[in-house]
């Protein structure tokens, strides 16, 4: 009986300590975040404040976008970290929200997405070191513009692997919107983007693949009308030793520009046996 009581006590202590341990681990993890893999320092995250709690913690960070010959673009993010594990094996969940600091940007955001629009990403963290981030871009419905919203998913693994998906049903823009020329209209339906790859030790994504597809695209201008159905753009790349190769594949089920039309069109461009170090130098 005493052994059973002791075992139960150990389990209860472990359960009670789990949120505290998670808080400590998350604080150390966030403090070590820097440049995002594969961006070569262009995009980075700096944690500016961390308030550790028992069941949840709160943090603030700055997302920095550095472009050549320009001042860094700085976005302030707030994070709420839930310490409790989930049924899917996660040990913590990070809810990240962007709220502009200045009143002008907040007003613009409210005008675009409406008051109370939720711009939050939720990231599940797993003991294996992997993560899964989900979020939704709010819908837009205003004069001259319609956007049904978009879903995004990003999964990462400790070995540098990533899998990204972005989907939206419909986007429409016409000449009732500010800045659009009279008689102009753009409509997309069924836009999907999926990409996956591996970030190498040197920070480059040598091995990857992706696909951008559209069920329908229509562009109307004052003197021209064009449309396409089942449109896709796919790419793939790989490095083998000192050699690098990539290919781009364009496909269209049907396309029309004014009175000219085509069906089942495909164009593939592939380049192989490129010197990988030369490619690196050009990119850098």
């Amino acid at each position: 009986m005493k052994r059973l009581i002791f075992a139960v006590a150990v389990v209860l202590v472990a359960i009670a300590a789990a949120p505290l341990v998670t808080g400590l681990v998350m604080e150390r993890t966030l403090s070590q975040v820097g440049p995002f893999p594969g961006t070569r320092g262009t995009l980075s995250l700096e944690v500016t404040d961390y308030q550790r709690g028992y069941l949840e913690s709160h943090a603030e960070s700055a997302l920095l976008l550095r472009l050549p010959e320009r001042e860094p673009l700085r976005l302030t993010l707030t994070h709420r970290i839930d310490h409790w594990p989930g049924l899917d094996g996660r040990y913590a969940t990070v809810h990240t929200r962007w709220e502009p600091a200045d009143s002008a940007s907040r007003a613009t955001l409210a005008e675009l997405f409406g008051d109370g629009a939720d711009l939050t990403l939720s990231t599940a963290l797993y003991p294996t070191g992997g993560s899964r981030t989900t979020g939704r871009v709010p819908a837009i419905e205003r004069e001259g513009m319609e956007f049904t919203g978009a879903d995004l998913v990003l999964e990462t693994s400790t070995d540098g692997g990533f899998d990204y998906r972005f989907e939206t049903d419909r986007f429409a823009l016409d000449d009732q919107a500010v800045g659009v020329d009279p008689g102009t209209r753009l409509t997309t339906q069924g836009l999907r983007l999926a990409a996956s790859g591996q970030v190498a030790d040197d920070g480059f994504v040598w091995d990857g693949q992706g696909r951008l597809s559209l069920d329908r695209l229509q562009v109307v201008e004052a003197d021209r009308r064009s449309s396409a159905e089942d449109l896709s753009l796919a790419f793939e790349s790989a490095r083998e030793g000192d050699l690098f190769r990539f290919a781009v594949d364009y496909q269209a089920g049907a396309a029309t520009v004014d009175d000219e039309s085509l069906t089942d069109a495909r164009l593939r461009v592939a380049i192989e046996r490129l010197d990988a170090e030369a490619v690196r130098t050009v990119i850098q």
Side-chain angles (χ1 to χ4, degrees), residues 98-120:
W98 172 53
E99 294 182 359
D102 60 287
S103 58
S105 296
R106 288 196 299 270
T108 301
L109 200 65
E111 182 183 359
L112 188 62
F113 294 108
D115 293 327
D118 186 13
L119 300 174
T120 301

Side-chain angles (χ1 to χ4, degrees), residues 20-229:
L20 179 60
V21 173
T22 298
L24 292 169
V25 170
M26 285 303 305
E27 183 174 9
R28 184 172 66 250
T29 300
L30 287 177
S31 67
Q32 296 173 347
V33 173
F36 285 86
T39 65
R40 301 186 301 281
T42 302
L43 190 64
S44 63
L45 187 73
E46 296 179 0
V47 177
T48 56
D49 183 60
Y50 190 93
Q51 301 294 327
R52 186 174 69 249
Y54 176 58
L55 296 180
E56 67 179 30
S57 297
H58 297 268
E60 288 189 2
S61 66
L63 184 66
L64 300 175
L65 176 62
R66 296 180 174 88
L67 299 176
E69 300 180 359
R70 293 188 181 183
E71 289 294 321
L73 175 63
R74 182 186 184 96
L75 298 180
T76 299
L77 306 176
T78 59
H79 313 274
R80 190 189 84 238
I81 303 104
D82 295 335
H83 297 173
W84 282 104
L87 296 177
D88 60 352
R90 73 182 67 184
Y91 70 85
T93 306
V94 182
H95 305 280
T96 300
R97 183 178 178 83
W98 172 53
E99 294 182 359
D102 60 287
S103 58
S105 296
R106 288 196 299 270
T108 301
L109 200 65
E111 182 183 359
L112 188 62
F113 294 108
D115 293 327
D118 186 13
L119 300 174
T120 301
L121 297 177
S122 295
T123 303
L125 303 175
Y126 298 93
T128 58
S131 68
R132 187 175 194 270
T133 299
T134 58
R136 179 165 180 82
V137 180
I140 300 173
E141 189 169 353
R142 54 184 300 183
E143 187 175 16
M145 181 184 299
E146 179 191 0
F147 175 58
T148 57
D151 296 305
L152 60 91
V153 178
L154 172 62
E155 298 179 343
T156 65
S157 58
T158 53
D159 61 358
F162 65 87
D163 193 322
Y164 176 80
R165 296 183 297 279
F166 178 92
E167 296 185 5
T168 182
D169 290 333
R170 176 180 168 82
F171 174 76
L173 184 71
D174 61 34
D175 56 8
Q176 297 301 308
V178 177
V180 178
D181 294 335
T184 300
R185 184 170 71 253
L186 167 69
T187 305
T188 68
Q189 293 179 331
L191 186 150
R192 293 174 293 275
L193 171 64
S196 60
Q198 188 87 20
V199 180
D201 293 338
D202 58 10
F204 279 73
V205 181
W206 297 105
D207 302 318
Q209 58 185 353
R211 181 182 179 88
L212 173 66
S213 63
L214 270 171
D215 290 343
R216 182 173 177 80
L217 170 66
Q218 184 178 47
V219 180
V220 177
E221 299 175 285
D223 57 350
R224 172 168 293 186
R225 178 187 298 265
S226 58
S227 64
E229 297 181 358

